[in-house]
Amino acid sequence: MFFSRLLFQKFARNLKVQNTSMVRIDAGRIPLKVIPINIYDYKNGDHCIIEGDTFEEHDEKPKINNNLHHSNHLQTDLDTAMIKIDGKDYLYDNVKELKVHVPIFSTILTVNAEDCGQKIQVQDLEPTKLKIYVGKNKIEKWESRIDETQVVEGQSHQYSPDYQQQKYKNSSQSKQVKLTPPDQITEVTLSNIKALRSIQVKSTKHPVKLITNRSLQTMRLTTVFGHLDSSIDFNGAVRCKILDVEAGKITSKKSLMLKQGVVMSTSGDIDLKTVSASSVLGVTSKQSLLIREVEGSGVPSGSEEVNNLGGEISLNANKYMDVWIAPTCNNKVNISNVFGVTDLYVADKLRGNLKLDLSIDSFMKTRAQILSDSNLNLVKDDILNH
């Protein structure tokens, strides 16, 4: 009796595939873990193993969020998993947990999941493209060109703050926003991923908590989180050519190294350890912005290399800003925090140009700091003379 129950509850399947297969996993609300195939058992890495647990009659299934209609889900049965490998479908019903061993060099690895508060883990893989979608998502026009990572020399982003959105109001009459319970937020964990072309995590309507461990390396890293309760925790170093991340709240414990990119929070703070950009960087926080070190290209200001890169850094906040500008920021740095308090720290040998747009109190404090430093000069903007 015990062995019959065990066989009914667990399942596993070993498939012979290509070592660069295209894998798509439709997981519904099932907790999912995607790991590489063991190359010691399969030297060519040309196998895929699907294993998991199924529900028994006495098991209680997770409840569906009552705030969402069942018609909003992509799948009619949320406990059904479909794995598509090189055009072949493998369907499993009544699944409780799912683990998929895929080729480490998969061409395109796609994960589709529902917004039911489950956990999705992807680790130790080197695919060409990694795509993770949570809930229904509208296909945007720019997604067809998301993997075009060529940067045109001399091209610069037109990045400027929106002062209407930047204004911060603290009044008792402001609307109270109801936060999403933690158990209803889908958690996506990426650990030690090295994608050749791109990594994309998208959820336009539903809250997602993205966690990165160890390191991420790719040409382009993109997140599209439309929900204000979404968050990103960079617990490992990130190396990419283009960084385009958006979430309600963003934190990092390691360095973010990129050529050009945008980091934006839609409801909370941005707290970063180190950001190093060799070209264009824009960081905008809905609330506070804290960056322990901002590094630039390190190329002398006015040189031909800087002009080709168009190296410009823009930092914007609404409430509080605390940043340190490293001496490698040798071109233009825009600091904007009109309605909040700013603590600006500048390296002694800074050779770049700072453009300040601060509140009166913060400007007087920064002005005194600049005048006391013999290496810095305060120049009035030409626009103020008109």
Side-chain angles (χ1 to χ4, degrees):
M1 178 65 69
F2 172 76
F3 289 104
S4 63
R5 285 180 54 195
L6 186 63
L7 291 175
F8 172 75
Q9 188 177 7
K10 295 182 180 295
F11 65 89
R13 186 169 184 177
N14 193 334
L15 303 171
K16 179 70 166 63
V17 298
Q18 300 179 4
N19 55 5
T20 57
S21 294
M22 185 181 300
V23 181
R24 172 179 171 177
I25 304 173
D26 295 339
R29 65 173 177 183
I30 305 168
L32 173 65
K33 187 174 184 179
V34 183
I35 60 176
I37 195 72
N38 192 340
I39 59 174
Y40 295 101
D41 297 335
Y42 307 96
K43 294 183 179 180
N44 295 327
D46 53 356
H47 281 72
C48 183
I49 299 177
I50 305 172
E51 58 183 3
D53 296 345
T54 57
F55 287 102
E56 291 188 351
E57 295 182 357
H58 62 273
D59 290 337
E60 183 179 357
K61 294 185 178 182
K63 296 181 180 179
I64 302 176
N65 185 5
N66 296 326
N67 296 329
L68 298 174
H69 297 288
H70 187 72
S71 60
N72 290 335
H73 294 294
L74 299 174
Q75 299 179 203
T76 56
D77 189 353
L78 301 180
D79 299 318
T80 298
M82 186 183 73
I83 297 92
K84 190 171 186 177
I85 305 174
D86 293 333
K88 297 182 180 180
D89 297 340
Y90 303 91
L91 192 65
Y92 298 91
D93 297 326
N94 205 33
V95 181
K96 185 177 181 180
E97 292 181 356
L98 183 65
K99 180 189 290 187
V100 183
H101 305 251
V102 300
I104 187 173
F105 299 112
S106 300
T107 304
I108 300 178
L109 176 59
T110 305
V111 176
N112 294 319
E114 299 294 347
D115 54 305
C116 298
Q118 73 276 27
K119 293 185 178 181
I120 302 172
Q121 302 179 44
V122 182
Q123 63 184 47
D124 302 326
L125 294 174
E126 298 184 18
T128 303
K129 303 176 185 177
L130 173 61
K131 302 179 180 180
I132 300 177
Y133 303 116
V134 178
K136 282 188 175 181
N137 292 282
K138 181 181 178 181
I139 303 300
E140 304 290 346
K141 293 181 179 180
W142 56 265
E143 291 190 65
S144 61
R145 302 186 300 272
I146 192 172
D147 299 314
E148 297 178 4
T149 56
Q150 181 179 1
V151 180
V152 180
E153 293 186 355
Q155 182 178 1
S156 177
H157 288 189
Q158 298 296 326
Y159 194 88
S160 59
D162 187 347
Y163 295 107
Q164 296 298 327
Q165 295 182 358
Q166 191 183 41
K167 189 172 183 180
Y168 175 77
K169 296 181 179 180
N170 185 11
S171 62
S172 59
Q173 298 179 356
S174 59
K175 296 182 179 179
Q176 298 294 328
V177 179
K178 186 177 180 181
L179 299 178
T180 305
D183 58 347
Q184 295 181 11
I185 298 179
T186 302
E187 184 176 302
V188 178
T189 303
L190 304 180
S191 302
N192 193 26
I193 304 296
K194 187 177 181 181
L196 181 62
R197 295 291 296 276
S198 62
I199 299 175
Q200 181 184 10
V201 185
K202 183 177 181 180
S203 177
T204 56
K205 297 182 179 180
H206 314 290
V208 172
K209 182 178 181 180
L210 175 61
I211 302 174
T212 68
N213 297 321
R214 297 163 72 181
S215 66
L216 292 184
Q217 298 184 41
T218 186
M219 292 288 285
R220 180 165 190 163
L221 174 60
T222 305
T223 65
V224 181
F225 295 152
H227 201 283
L228 299 180
D229 292 337
S230 298
S231 63
I232 301 177
D233 294 333
F234 292 111
N235 296 326
V238 176
R239 297 177 177 88
C240 60
K241 193 172 183 179
I242 299 177
L243 179 68
D244 187 1
V245 294
E246 173 191 2
K249 179 182 178 182
I250 301 175
T251 61
S252 73
K253 298 180 181 178
K254 299 293 183 179
S255 300
L256 304 180
M257 290 165 281
L258 56 139
K259 183 171 184 179
Q260 65 181 37
V262 175
V263 180
M264 182 174 67
S265 69
T266 56
S267 63
D269 302 335
I270 295 180
D271 187 355
L272 308 178
K273 182 180 179 181
T274 302
V275 181
S276 177
S278 60
S279 181
V280 180
L281 172 65
V283 183
T284 299
S285 175
K286 187 67 175 179
Q287 299 291 338
S288 299
L289 174 61
L290 298 90
I291 306 179
R292 292 163 183 81
E293 184 175 1
V294 180
E295 297 183 356
S297 61
V299 182
S301 179
S303 65
E304 184 177 354
E305 295 184 35
V306 169
N307 295 331
N308 291 334
L309 291 173
E312 183 173 345
I313 298 176
S314 296
L315 307 177
N316 311 288
N318 290 334
K319 189 175 181 181
Y320 175 68
M321 180 183 293
D322 186 350
V323 296
W324 186 79
I325 309 299
T328 53
C329 296
N330 293 331
N331 210 22
K332 185 184 295 184
V333 181
N334 301 318
I335 306 294
S336 178
N337 186 14
V338 180
F339 306 102
V341 179
T342 301
D343 289 331
L344 179 62
Y345 303 94
V346 181
D348 295 335
K349 298 181 180 180
L350 181 67
R351 295 190 295 268
N353 298 322
L354 290 176
K355 186 176 181 180
L356 306 179
D357 191 0
L358 308 175
S359 61
I360 298 299
D361 295 338
S362 298
F363 176 76
M364 296 304 295
K365 177 182 177 181
T366 307
R367 180 177 180 274
Q369 178 183 353
I370 294 175
L371 294 177
S372 62
D373 192 338
S374 59
N375 296 320
L376 300 177
N377 295 322
L378 185 63
V379 180
K380 193 174 182 179
D381 198 336
D382 294 337
I383 194 174
L384 299 178
N385 296 327
H386 297 284

